[in-house]
C-alpha cells in the first residue's frame, strides 16, 4: 500500500480555516493545534498556518488578558471578500483609464508623419551645436573662477540656458527616432539608426 501523501501548506490553510469557521468560536493557539490535528493538520505546522491566515485577513486575532485569541467567522469571510473585490474593481478601473490614455497617445503619435532622413540629420546637427556651446560655456566658467561673483553668476546662467536647449534637442531627437523606428519597424534597428545619423552610443541628457 502506498503511503498517503501529506497536505500542502495551502491545503492546510483551507482545512484549518474551514474548521474554525465551522466551530464559529474563539481559540488559543494550543486549541487550534488540537483542532488542526483532528482535521489532519500536524500541530507543528499550525502556528505558521495561522500566521499566514492572519496575514491574508482570513483569520482575526486579538490579545485578551494574557492570551492571544484567534477566530474566523463566516460573516467576516464575506466582508473580507467584498473588500478584496472593491480593491480589485478600483485597480481595474485605474488600469483601464491608463490604457485608454496610452492608446490615445499612441493614436496621436501614429497619425504624425515619419520624419525624413534630412529632417533627422538637421535635428542631430542642431543638438550637436547646442552641446558644443554648452561645453564651451563650461570651459569659460572654469577660466573665470577667479572673477567677481556677478560675472560668475552670469556665466552659470548662460550655461543653464545652453544645457536646457541641448536637452530639449535631445528630446526632439528621441521623439524623431521613435517615430522613424515605428514607421520602419523590421527594416532598421535602433543601433542602425544611431549609426546612420551619427548618434554616439553614450547619447544622453546633460546633467
Amino acid at each position: 500500500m502506498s503511503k498517503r501523501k501529506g497536505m500542502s501548506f495551502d491545503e492546510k490553510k483551507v482545512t484549518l480555516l474551514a474548521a474554525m469557521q465551522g466551530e464559529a468560536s474563539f481559540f488559543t493557539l494550543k486549541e487550534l493545534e488540537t483542532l488542526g490535528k483532528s482535521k489532519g493538520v500536524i500541530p507543528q505546522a499550525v502556528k505558521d498556518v495561522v500566521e499566514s491566515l492572519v496575514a491574508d485577513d482570513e483569520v482575526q486575532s486579538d490579545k485578551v488578558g494574557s492570551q492571544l485569541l484567534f477566530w474566523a467567522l463566516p460573516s467576516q469571510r464575506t466582508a473580507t471578500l467584498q473588500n478584496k473585490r472593491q480593491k480589485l474593481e478600483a485597480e481595474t478601473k485605474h488600469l483601464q483609464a491608463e490604457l485608454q490614455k496610452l492608446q490615445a497617445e499612441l493614436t496621436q503619435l501614429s497619425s504624425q508623419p515619419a520624419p525624413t532622413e534630412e529632417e533627422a540629420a538637421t535635428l542631430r546637427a542642431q543638438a550637436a551645436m547646442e552641446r558644443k556651446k554648452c561645453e564651451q560655456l563650461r570651459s569659460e566658467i572654469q577660466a573665470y573662477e577667479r572673477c567677481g561673483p556677478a560675472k560668475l553668476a552670469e556665466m552659470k546662467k548662460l550655461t543653464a540656458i545652453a544645457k536646457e536647449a541641448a536637452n530639449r534637442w535631445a528630446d526632439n531627437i528621441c521623439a524623431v527616432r521613435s517615430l522613424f523606428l515605428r514607421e520602419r519597424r523590421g527594416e532598421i534597428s535602433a543601433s542602425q539608426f544611431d549609426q546612420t545619423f551619427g548618434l554616439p552610443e553614450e547619447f544622453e541628457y546633460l546633467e
Side-chain angles (χ1 to χ4, degrees):
M1 180 182 292
S2 61
K3 187 177 179 181
R4 182 181 177 184
K5 184 179 180 181
M7 287 189 290
S8 68
F9 187 75
D10 287 338
E11 290 173 335
K12 292 174 183 176
K13 289 174 63 178
V14 171
T15 300
L16 187 58
L17 179 60
M20 293 178 69
Q21 290 176 342
E23 293 290 335
S25 183
F26 298 87
F27 305 89
T28 63
L29 184 59
K30 191 69 176 177
E31 291 170 338
L32 285 176
E33 290 176 351
T34 302
L35 178 64
K37 184 177 180 180
S38 70
K39 302 298 182 180
V41 180
I42 60 175
Q44 295 89 336
V46 168
K47 184 175 184 294
D48 290 338
V49 171
V50 172
E51 288 178 349
S52 180
L53 288 170
V54 171
D56 292 341
D57 289 329
E58 301 283 3
V59 169
Q60 309 300 312
S61 66
D62 198 4
K63 192 168 186 180
V64 180
S66 60
Q67 291 185 322
L68 183 60
L69 298 181
F70 302 89
W71 67 94
L73 305 179
S75 59
Q76 290 177 333
R77 169 67 173 171
T78 301
T80 299
L81 290 176
Q82 288 177 341
N83 289 335
K84 287 183 177 180
R85 178 183 176 182
Q86 290 175 353
K87 289 180 181 179
L88 287 173
E89 287 177 346
E91 184 177 356
T92 300
K93 187 177 295 185
H94 173 72
L95 291 175
Q96 287 175 340
E98 287 293 319
L99 177 60
Q100 291 177 352
K101 180 181 177 182
L102 291 174
Q103 287 176 334
E105 292 178 355
L106 179 60
T107 300
Q108 182 180 4
L109 288 173
S110 300
S111 64
Q112 298 178 2
T116 64
E117 294 184 4
E118 183 179 354
E119 290 172 336
T122 300
L123 287 173
R124 178 179 59 83
Q126 290 174 329
M129 288 177 58
E130 295 294 344
R131 287 174 178 271
K132 183 176 180 180
K133 183 178 179 180
C134 184
E135 292 300 327
Q136 289 175 343
L137 289 171
R138 281 183 175 175
S139 298
E140 290 182 23
I141 285 181
Q142 293 177 355
Y144 283 101
E145 282 180 346
R146 296 184 181 181
C147 295
K151 182 65 175 178
L152 186 59
E154 179 184 357
M155 296 302 299
K156 287 184 176 180
K157 180 179 179 181
L158 291 174
T159 298
I161 293 173
K163 182 178 71 173
E164 181 180 355
N167 287 337
R168 185 165 58 250
W169 280 111
D171 278 335
N172 292 338
I173 286 178
C174 288
V176 167
R177 179 169 55 183
S178 297
L179 287 171
F180 187 91
L181 293 178
R182 184 165 58 252
E183 292 292 330
R184 303 291 181 86
R185 185 176 300 170
E187 299 178 11
I188 184 172
S189 65
S191 60
Q192 289 173 328
F193 179 94
D194 293 345
Q195 184 177 3
T196 299
F197 295 101
L199 294 177
E201 294 182 358
E202 302 81 13
F203 181 77
E204 57 186 1
Y205 293 102
L206 294 175
E207 299 293 336

